[in-house]
Amino acid sequence: MKSKKGKNFDFSKFNKIIAVVCTPSLAFVASKEALEFEEKDLRRVLPVGELNEWLESH
Amino acid sequence: MEEKDLDLIPYPDRTTVVIAAHIMNMDLDSIFYEVTEELDSLIKGHQFYKEIDKTKCLAKEAAVSYFRNCHQVLVDYLKNYSRRFSSVEWLWYLRRVPNEVFSVGSDSKVTAGRRRLIAEIISSMSTKICPVAIGQENNILFSTDKEDIWEVIAFCVGAIYLYRIEVKIRIAGKGSKFRFTENFPVLPESLVDEHMNYAIDIYDNRLEQVNFAYFGRTGTVVAEFYEKNKHEKFSTKSGVPVILGVFPVKPTIHETYIGPVGSRKTFSMITNYAPALIALNRLSKLLHNMELPNIAVRETLGALITLLKIMIPAIHRSAVALYTIERTGYYVADDKFINQQSKSAGKTINQELETIFPTICFDKTIEEALFFFEETIEPSTLPVTGAPIIRRQGTLMFIDLISATQWLQVLLDFSNYSGGFARTRSLHFEDSVQEIIDSTSWIPKDSTRELIRRQLRDSTDSFITDIDAIGEKGNQLLIVSCKGIAFSGNYDMGSYKTVRNIRTELEEAAAHWIQIKKPS
């Protein structure tokens, strides 16, 4: 985040913010931003199945 | 293979081995080229092929139209070819054909599964009456003569050709142009750039990893899977609506059993299909907030859920059901089986289901449901749906549980719903994702959870973003933007507009997050 604190939130206790876009099924995306890994083994745009697996193994 | 070796393989798996042995002795590549050449010539003989200007690039619309014509030619040809065997024989053969046959020209597991499904759908259109088979119930046997197996393999190659056309229609849907070349005189090659090819490869590879479907056409998460391959625990969970689902999996050696309750004999075998218990409490919650307008869908869903519910105790009671389903994905039922299920389940199950799903019709006995599937389920190869659920051989009924599970996903298609329901679905998806996060070590603390559905504002009160779902672990914060997109049949078929709209929405969302996270 540009700032970890805003008018109605305070993320200052977190060192890392992981932000992803989740869909019910795998969707076709092609842009660099959408295909990139937000975190190791975690693509920025991903289906709920992939998110579930990542959460269980990290 | 020696006869003594065959004796070690549990009956009727030896048929699979005999079929595999025939296939090993065939030159698959040469069958592939021979049949492909024949199918190329077939298309070349049609007027639409002669009329198209092969010196020019085909724009996406023209390409879709051309490939649809090719698709129809192939469907007609394969329907005609399918008359060589009955629908039941085809299912029996195709479920014994190894993935290697469907993988000719591709390393992808997804490809093999899709090609096999296309073969199963087309083969079900055979009008040939089933001959008398050897054996009974789940030990049905058909000819394993080499010539018959060759016919089956040639048909599979036809299905592979049809699949190649379907892929080209989908690539055209992603916006590609096509051109005829010396190497691609009938099915022109796509002119996608390197980056698009990379994106398509990533998509295909990710699709390969999906073992259990998530009913994505609902636009949310409606199913939770229990006890994958844990057949010994096949029992219903109290208070949770559970049905059976059967899914194709990568062939693995797995312990199963055969024999009546109390004297089971366990052994290891290669499993191609995995039965799983599917909890539908999330679907129940969603359907409480919506009305299914289509009576046919309500009836078919009811009949499907009844069948998949009744099969759980049926598998437990049967001496051979689990073993057969894990091997072939289907179960062969006779009148005795149907009567037994009607007596043991009857109205109790329907009443229970009516309470859980008040907007679905549960007015059919299992016998009526099975007849109903035969009358109402219409398989299609464009878009690809599922194969028929029921195929008959005399008094025997092949109940294809793979197809039943696929049809459940096809019918739970809420992609056309908009307005209030779309909002309900969107909130349902956000809740489901949060539940998934909460079930892991990323469960957020109360102070973090308070941010769910809050509009974050910066110090100047400017809007930053919404929080749909959230998690935390140590000093890491996870923020999830949930897009409750229902993936329709059109998406599956590669409709350019549908694919483009969804792609644009997701790519913009990804870019939005990068922008938000960028330090000022």
Side-chain angles (χ1 to χ4, degrees), chain B residues 187-334:
Chain B
L187 299 182
E189 66 174 339
S190 64
L191 299 173
V192 291
D193 61 37
E194 202 176 317
H195 178 74
M196 186 61 91
N197 259 332
Y198 168 72
I200 292 171
D201 277 351
I202 288 179
Y203 177 74
D204 286 346
N205 287 332
R206 291 169 87 185
L207 213 50
E208 266 191 47
Q209 309 304 320
V210 181
N211 254 350
F212 288 83
Y214 275 80
F215 294 82
R217 290 186 183 191
T218 58
T220 179
V221 181
V222 295
E224 196 180 342
F225 297 94
Y226 289 147
E227 318 292 358
K228 295 170 191 172
N229 276 336
K230 294 281 168 63
H231 50 77
E232 68 275 15
K233 289 179 183 169
F234 251 39
S235 58
T236 51
K237 308 249 169 188
S238 60
V240 180
V242 182
I243 60 168
L244 175 75
V246 182
F247 300 88
V249 288
K250 188 177 177 181
T252 45
I253 294 178
H254 168 70
E255 192 171 88
T256 187
Y257 65 71
I258 196 162
V261 179
S263 55
R264 305 278 203 219
K265 182 186 166 192
T266 58
F267 61 96
S268 295
M269 69 162 190
I270 293 177
T271 305
N272 295 322
Y273 301 100
L277 294 185
I278 309 175
L280 293 179
N281 42 329
R282 288 188 181 134
L283 176 65
S284 168
K285 195 174 156 192
L286 179 70
L287 292 182
H288 266 92
N289 295 314
M290 68 178 284
E291 187 70 31
L292 290 166
N294 186 329
I295 182 69
V297 170
R298 288 162 58 196
E299 273 192 282
T300 316
L301 268 179
L304 263 178
I305 291 173
T306 301
L307 170 68
L308 293 172
K309 179 93 181 160
I310 280 174
M311 283 308 295
I312 297 172
I315 289 177
H316 181 70
R317 279 195 298 267
S318 168
V320 293
L322 181 78
Y323 155 73
T324 310
I325 293 165
E326 288 183 326
R327 189 71 201 90
T328 64
Y330 60 71
Y331 180 72
V332 185
D334 55 11

Side-chain angles (χ1 to χ4, degrees), chain A residues 1-3 5-11 13-36 38-39 42-58, chain B residues 174 195-196 199-200 202-203 206-207 214 216 219-221 429 436-437 440-442 451 454-458 461 464 472-473 475-483 485 487 491 503 506-507 509-510 513-518:
Chain A
M1 310 286 275
K2 285 176 182 170
S3 171
K5 276 175 92 169
K7 191 180 177 189
N8 59 355
F9 69 93
D10 181 358
F11 295 155
K13 69 172 179 174
F14 298 108
N15 287 347
K16 186 189 277 181
I17 297 174
I18 302 165
V20 293
V21 179
C22 184
T23 54
S25 286
L26 180 64
F28 175 77
V29 285
S31 75
K32 181 173 165 285
E33 293 85 354
L35 286 173
E36 271 175 351
E38 170 76 10
E39 195 62 23
L42 184 75
R43 288 195 192 270
R44 188 168 289 121
V45 175
L46 77 173
V48 68
E50 282 186 13
L51 177 64
N52 195 8
E53 276 176 27
W54 187 86
L55 290 167
E56 284 177 353
S57 58
H58 286 82
Chain B
K174 292 180 175 77
H195 178 74
M196 186 61 91
I200 292 171
I202 288 179
Y203 177 74
R206 291 169 87 185
L207 213 50
Y214 275 80
T220 179
V221 181
F429 184 51
I436 287 169
I437 295 171
T440 70
S441 55
W442 286 81
L451 295 168
R454 183 179 295 180
Q455 294 190 333
L456 300 191
R457 294 186 176 276
D458 66 15
D461 205 27
I464 303 173
E472 67 176 298
K473 190 169 185 176
N475 55 13
Q476 301 174 95
L477 177 71
L478 171 72
I479 303 175
V480 184
S481 171
C482 298
K483 300 289 180 191
I485 297 165
F487 293 80
Y491 188 87
R503 180 184 153 190
L506 296 174
E507 289 177 351
W513 270 120
I514 288 173
Q515 193 59 34
I516 291 174
K517 285 180 68 179
K518 197 185 283 179

